Amino acid sequence: MSAETKIRVLCVDDHPLMRVGIVAVIRHESDMDVAGEASTGREAIHLFRELRPDVTLMDLRLPDMSGIEALIAIRAQFPCARVIVLTPRRQEAGAP
């Protein structure tokens, strides 16, 4: 697959280990490319404006604003932006 047809992905997660893992998986795919990485909502908004990725993988829990707030800000300027929300499953007390 040529570089022109690769899916460009912006990865947004404040946990470095999670972000590094996701980026490694994306880089291993022949039809995907990492457009950029962000660790905060504000950084995600800035990088989206600059890079215009095809897809953004967005964590809901970010240190400066929620992923939902960042998503709303991005979609306000870029209504066709495609965002996949990632978030860890919250384990309830006493659940396996």
Side-chain angles (χ1 to χ4, degrees):
M1 184 167 272
S2 69
E4 296 83 36
T5 60
K6 287 188 176 188
I7 300 166
R8 297 176 58 252
V9 180
L10 172 61
C11 181
V12 184
D13 199 300
D14 62 324
H15 296 288
L17 186 57
M18 185 71 160
R19 198 172 57 250
V20 166
I22 292 168
V23 165
V25 170
I26 293 168
R27 286 194 173 132
H28 189 262
E29 297 298 319
S30 62
D31 61 345
M32 299 170 87
D33 195 19
V34 177
E37 300 177 47
S39 60
T40 69
R42 284 182 178 80
E43 187 178 14
I45 295 164
H46 171 76
L47 284 177
F48 190 94
R49 285 181 189 136
E50 181 181 315
L51 303 171
R52 308 282 172 91
D54 299 313
V55 176
T56 299
L57 298 178
M58 178 84 69
D59 185 12
L60 285 183
R61 297 180 185 182
L62 298 170
D64 59 345
M65 63 174 51
S66 75
I68 296 294
E69 292 170 315
L71 181 143
I72 289 168
I74 289 169
R75 296 282 312 260
Q77 287 189 335
F78 305 95
C80 293
R82 290 178 238 153
V83 179
I84 298 171
V85 174
L86 300 175
T87 192
R89 178 179 161 213
R90 184 182 299 173
Q91 187 142 4
E92 301 297 324

